[in-house]
Amino acid sequence: MSALTQLGDSRELLANLTLREVRGKYKRTALGQVWSLINPLAMMLIYTAVFGQVLRVTIPPGNPSGLHLFALWLVCALLPWNFMSNAMTGGMSSLVGNANLIKKVYFPRQVLVAATVLSWDVTFLTEMGVLTAVLLAFGGMPLPWLPLVVVFMAFLTLFALGLGLALSVANVYFRDTQHLVGIVMQIWFYATPIVYPISYVHKEAVKLHDKGWNIPVEFMYRLNPMERFVEVFRSLMYDNRWPALGDALYCIGAGIVSVVIGYWLFARFEGRMAEEL
Amino acid sequence: MSDSVIVVDGVSKRFRLYHQRNQSIKAALMRGGRAKYEEFWALKDVSFEVPEGSMFGLMGVNGSGKSTMLNCIAKILRPDKGTIATRGKFSALLELGSGFHPELSGRENIYLNGSILGLSKRELEARFDEIVDFAGVEQFIDQPVKNYSSGMYVRLGFSVAINVDPDVLLVDEVLAVGDAAFQEKCMEKFAEFRRAGKTVVVVSHAMGTMRTLCDRVAWLDAGRLVEVGRPDELIDRYIDEGHVQRGDADGGSRWGSGEGALTSVAFVDAAGAPTTKLRTGDEATIRLTYETRQRIDKPVFGLAIETLEGVYVWASNTRDADYVPDCIEGSGTVEFHIPRLMLLPGTFDISASIVDFSTVHVYDFRRHCYRFDVDHGTPRESGGLVSLGGAWRNLTSGSATADRAVQSLESGS
Ligand SMILES: Nc1ncnc2c1ncn2[C@@H]1O[C@H](COP(=O)(O)OP(=O)(O)OP(=O)(O)O)[C@@H](O)[C@H]1O
Ligand SMILES: [Mg+2]
């Protein structure tokens, strides 16, 4: 827990570093912060074209919102995923990227990881704001659910922070952690119901069962915390209803467990960091 | 102890020396675990205390563990054994650069470093001008620091480190990079710092600076603490043991057109052997050996002595001394004879040159090509650079008894 109090003591530094990250992200680009909206927009268009139009993924209509649009349905899951993915990989490289700082000045090093994650939170908040406006324009009613959305954004942040902390120290000792993580993120993306609904998994599971394979496919599939987060965000934003209690609890648990283990690993291995960098 | 700001207790630090530095999982898996390494103890059971308000020096040869010690005190490295208890706010300026981000501008780096060192934005804004002013980099403040010269880099780093108002300042050998004017400013700042009751820990190879600056020094050798004590005694012993390499061209620069070259510059003793240890009042000779590629008409030999801090102490050349030959050719020597060396104890550098009669064209200039130490001798005077060889006299006093005492004082001596 001392790691957490340290983080509290360096609030000002955390704020400064976060600001630096936010400003630095699109430095020397003509469009600046606009890129943070163009990126998800481009991804949305590509996935909508491929999965919505070409592969004809069928999605259930929003219940009770009545929305029925692949692009919107997709984005409600894509934005949380993008945030988690960026924050985690950004946090992972933050120690190696700031090696010169770590070797020359003392400060609680977890601040670097936290600042990177928080800087992606800024992007995430903007994107969710824009998404809310778009959903309203298409007749959805996400407004009453926004406080809950923010709560789950917080837990998703904890989840990403924990992973970022653990991976950042791993990356100091093994530099190819980041390349490995690059591949894992691709697999993880398709193992999460972002571009297809979970009902597809159910169908596959039934098929396998009929063939006599007794694998608990759905159970295993649903162990993935991101699956739960995606379901929760979709319920709140796309469907405008309460998320399933199990999913919600699972998300909260995943966030807390991740951050506790992440901190523990970080504290355990940060001692020799300056000399390994 | 309540009056120590740093208590180092039995600290040992181990480094791993990897045979193959391969930070990849594949390499690790193939070896069946982490990379093979040897253990190396850079610090072994070191204990000392730094009193509050003191100027504390760390000395030792290259690789003796000074920087490692400083890094442990700054909490950048974690000791494997022992503890370091510290009190107050620390600010560190470690070997070249103080955690600047090369891509960021000087301004951004000041804000970043300042907030890392614990200043709020408001405090930083208040001190910003002072920081930039002290560093003397106004013009370049919005340039990325990667475009700074190494001197500018250090100046800015020092300026930030000292202006964040720490209780303890750790400085590792960086000041040598700055020019003479900046070093002077730093010395002033150190003095100011100490008047305010703050503590400074310095690592330096400049024994002259250490001697004049420090109240206490610790001598490290191969990771072990040899002794902690008063600088004059300890530095003399350190120099006597020959740990300070003298007489070679350490870091000095050299230029010139090369028709004639100074092949050696040295103090020589009566037997003609080079020596680097002299005493105040000694008879001494500086011998210059030269070699020419062609005949040189009316060459002028020059010599200058500076302290390690760059204070210009003395110079002489054969033109001003009216000792110019018509020409020289081949190789030869010339000597400068000093009947009584009137320098007080300290470490000095010699620069030597051969130039033409106009002193505009340089054949060979060797800056700081010879370093020597002066030790206590006679006359024994209290401090400063030069001995004036004078004597105290003519003390008068109002009372008759005191007058008699004075007379006996003069006749006794
Ligand atoms: N990160 C590191 N990994 C392995 N060995 C190291 C590391 N840092 C320092 N060492 C070793 O520890 C020893 C002490 O180094 P240190 O830098 O403390 O010496 P120093 O007294 O500061 O020398 P100098 O006068 O050259 O600055 C050296 O032998 C060095 O090779
Ligand atoms: Mg060093």
Side-chain angles (χ1 to χ4, degrees):
Chain A
M1 272 299 121
S2 76
L4 272 180
T5 36
Q6 265 186 340
L7 202 56
D9 288 343
S10 34
R11 250 167 303 150
E12 182 121 18
L13 174 59
L14 182 59
N16 272 333
L17 284 174
T18 307
L19 222 62
R20 172 176 80 133
E21 288 293 326
V22 172
R23 291 216 190 98
K25 215 168 276 170
Y26 301 103
K27 208 175 175 178
R28 296 211 201 163
T29 58
L31 293 180
Q33 298 292 341
V34 179
W35 278 113
S36 70
L37 291 178
I38 294 179
N39 280 333
L41 196 69
M43 281 173 90
M44 182 196 81
L45 289 177
I46 295 166
Y47 290 135
T48 305
V50 175
F51 295 97
Q53 297 305 121
V54 180
L55 295 177
R56 299 247 161 238
V57 170
T58 50
I59 52 155
N63 170 26
S65 73
L67 291 170
H68 199 177
L69 198 63
F70 184 83
L72 291 181
W73 178 86
L74 168 79
V75 168
C76 290
L78 187 63
L79 294 186
W81 168 266
N82 277 352
F83 161 74
M84 195 284 296
S85 164
N86 288 330
M88 188 193 94
T89 48
M92 173 179 69
S93 340
S94 61
L95 295 182
V96 173
N98 285 295
N100 61 334
L101 217 53
I102 293 173
K103 286 196 278 193
K104 295 290 175 196
V105 207
Y106 175 74
F107 57 99
R109 278 72 185 264
Q110 55 270 34
V111 173
L112 284 173
V113 183
T116 312
V117 171
L118 280 183
S119 76
W120 284 108
D121 259 311
V122 173
T123 311
F124 191 25
L125 270 173
T126 337
E127 290 170 349
M128 291 300 264
V130 173
L131 177 61
T132 307
V134 173
L135 287 172
L136 281 171
F138 280 86
M141 199 38 189
L143 291 182
W145 305 99
L146 286 187
L148 263 186
V149 169
V150 173
V151 168
F152 282 96
M153 283 168 77
F155 280 103
L156 187 57
T157 303
L158 287 185
F159 182 68
L161 178 64
L163 287 176
L165 283 169
L167 290 172
S168 65
V169 273
N171 198 30
V172 170
Y173 295 93
F174 297 112
R175 290 298 153 82
D176 42 8
T177 306
Q178 49 195 348
H179 302 289
L180 197 66
V181 166
I183 298 168
V184 170
M185 292 313 282
Q186 303 241 357
I187 302 171
W188 198 355
F189 177 78
Y190 288 103
T192 307
I194 299 168
V195 290
Y196 57 88
I198 191 165
S199 56
Y200 280 37
V201 179
H202 178 73
K203 272 189 236 158
E204 288 304 311
V206 170
K207 265 190 228 161
L208 277 180
H209 187 80
D210 290 346
K211 282 187 199 146
W213 293 67
N214 242 333
I215 315 168
V217 177
E218 267 185 285
F219 172 77
M220 276 162 39
Y221 185 83
R222 301 211 69 209
L223 284 178
N224 169 12
M226 279 317 284
E227 192 273 331
R228 309 294 180 117
F229 271 111
V230 159
E231 294 293 338
V232 167
F233 279 104
R234 253 188 201 135
S235 303
L236 293 170
M237 299 288 283
Y238 184 74
D239 296 320
N240 305 139
R241 62 175 151 89
W242 287 97
L245 185 64
D247 290 351
L249 291 179
Y250 199 96
C251 288
I252 293 169
I256 293 171
V257 168
S258 161
V259 92
V260 166
I261 293 180
Y263 261 126
W264 181 78
L265 285 171
F266 193 88
R268 171 123 169 51
F269 289 106
E270 79 168 329
R272 286 206 351 274
M273 193 150 78
E275 60 210 75
E276 292 279 346
L277 270 169
Chain B
M1 288 256 286
S2 59
D3 58 346
S4 298
V5 278
I6 305 169
V7 181
V8 177
D9 185 20
V11 164
S12 299
K13 175 70 199 169
R14 175 185 57 199
F15 284 120
R16 295 175 174 181
L17 303 177
Y18 294 93
H19 291 306
Q20 303 154 285
R21 193 71 187 107
N22 197 343
Q23 284 163 316
S24 77
I25 291 178
K26 175 178 150 246
L29 287 178
M30 284 172 58
R31 278 188 303 268
R34 287 282 275 139
K36 281 210 176 62
Y37 56 83
E38 266 173 38
E39 293 192 342
F40 172 78
W41 291 90
L43 289 174
K44 293 170 216 147
D45 196 24
V46 176
S47 306
F48 61 82
E49 293 186 12
V50 178
E52 182 160 12
S54 68
M55 183 95 182
F56 193 93
L58 281 174
M59 61 180 193
V61 295
N62 292 139
S64 54
K66 305 179 295 296
S67 302
T68 308
M69 189 70 243
L70 223 53
N71 274 304
C72 288
I73 295 175
K75 293 201 212 163
I76 289 164
L77 295 177
R78 185 179 288 178
D80 292 282
K81 287 193 196 137
T83 55
I84 300 178
T86 56
R87 203 149 54 75
K89 186 158 113 186
F90 276 62
S91 167
L93 195 59
L94 305 171
E95 288 168 299
L96 282 187
S98 46
F100 284 156
H101 198 297
E103 297 290 339
L104 295 180
S105 73
R107 181 188 303 275
E108 289 165 313
N109 269 308
I110 291 178
Y111 277 97
L112 178 63
N113 254 26
S115 60
I116 286 175
L117 294 170
L119 286 195
S120 70
K121 200 163 164 72
R122 180 150 354 110
E123 287 172 298
L124 265 168
E125 263 154 16
R127 289 178 209 187
F128 186 82
D129 290 337
E130 200 181 329
I131 294 177
V132 177
D133 201 43
F134 186 81
V137 293
E138 293 88 346
Q139 270 183 293
F140 304 95
I141 198 62
D142 288 308
Q143 295 283 314
V145 295
K146 65 178 177 188
N147 298 343
Y148 283 25
S149 75
S150 54
M152 284 160 64
Y153 206 87
V154 168
R155 292 162 75 127
L156 190 60
F158 183 77
S159 189
V160 174
I162 202 152
N163 280 306
V164 297
D165 202 19
D167 301 313
V168 183
L169 182 67
L170 310 172
V171 185
D172 192 351
E173 266 189 288
V174 287
L175 300 181
V177 185
D179 56 23
F182 186 71
Q183 291 192 11
E184 198 140 303
K185 263 165 105 185
C186 294
M187 295 303 153
E188 264 169 42
K189 205 72 185 176
F190 279 150
E192 193 182 300
F193 210 66
R194 284 184 52 197
R195 276 196 297 277
K198 312 278 181 85
T199 313
V200 184
V201 182
V202 282
V203 168
S204 177
H205 290 289
M207 288 304 141
T209 320
M210 295 282 268
R211 201 193 291 267
T212 48
L213 227 51
C214 296
D215 312 313
R216 284 182 84 68
V217 291
W219 174 2
L220 287 175
D221 187 45
R224 289 184 192 282
L225 185 68
V226 179
E227 211 177 312
V228 188
R230 286 164 47 92
D232 36 3
E233 303 157 13
L234 221 56
I235 290 176
D236 283 346
R237 264 181 54 205
Y238 178 72
I239 292 173
D240 282 345
E241 292 198 11
H243 283 301
V244 183
Q245 272 155 28
R246 290 296 138 93
D248 53 353
D250 60 324
S253 46
R254 183 173 190 171
W255 63 90
S257 57
E259 290 92 337
L262 289 163
T263 47
S264 89
V265 178
F267 264 107
V268 289
D269 58 19
T275 173
T276 59
K277 297 194 183 5
L278 298 125
R279 288 178 185 279
T280 310
D282 276 1
E283 182 176 341
T285 302
I286 304 174
R287 177 180 291 161
L288 308 181
T289 312
Y290 64 83
E291 226 172 68
T292 57
R293 274 195 271 144
Q294 64 197 60
R295 196 179 121 122
I296 298 177
D297 289 324
K298 291 199 170 221
V300 175
F301 293 93
L303 279 172
I305 294 179
E306 279 174 53
T307 67
L308 293 188
E309 299 85 62
V311 178
Y312 183 33
V313 181
W314 167 89
S316 175
N317 68 51
T318 54
R319 181 178 151 169
D320 290 344
D322 212 8
Y323 187 73
V324 184
D326 282 337
C327 69
I328 51 171
E329 213 169 347
S331 58
T333 60
V334 60
E335 290 180 351
F336 183 79
H337 177 250
I338 305 162
R340 274 159 69 77
L341 182 69
M342 298 309 254
L343 290 173
L344 285 180
T347 304
F348 301 89
D349 279 322
I350 296 182
S351 301
S353 61
I354 317 180
V355 297
D356 76 346
F357 193 72
S358 69
T359 68
V360 173
H361 181 83
V362 177
Y363 298 116
D364 191 12
F365 191 110
R366 296 184 60 175
R367 188 169 174 268
H368 294 178
C369 58
Y370 196 75
R371 181 168 285 185
F372 65 98
D373 296 298
V374 177
D375 212 340
H376 292 289
T378 34
R380 196 171 182 113
E381 290 172 8
S382 315
L385 293 175
V386 297
S387 163
L388 299 179
W392 293 96
R393 64 178 198 182
N394 284 350
L395 176 70
T396 59
S397 158
S399 95
T401 37
D403 262 355
R404 266 197 303 281
V406 168
Q407 267 155 26
S408 74
L409 191 74
E410 286 193 358
S411 61
S413 64

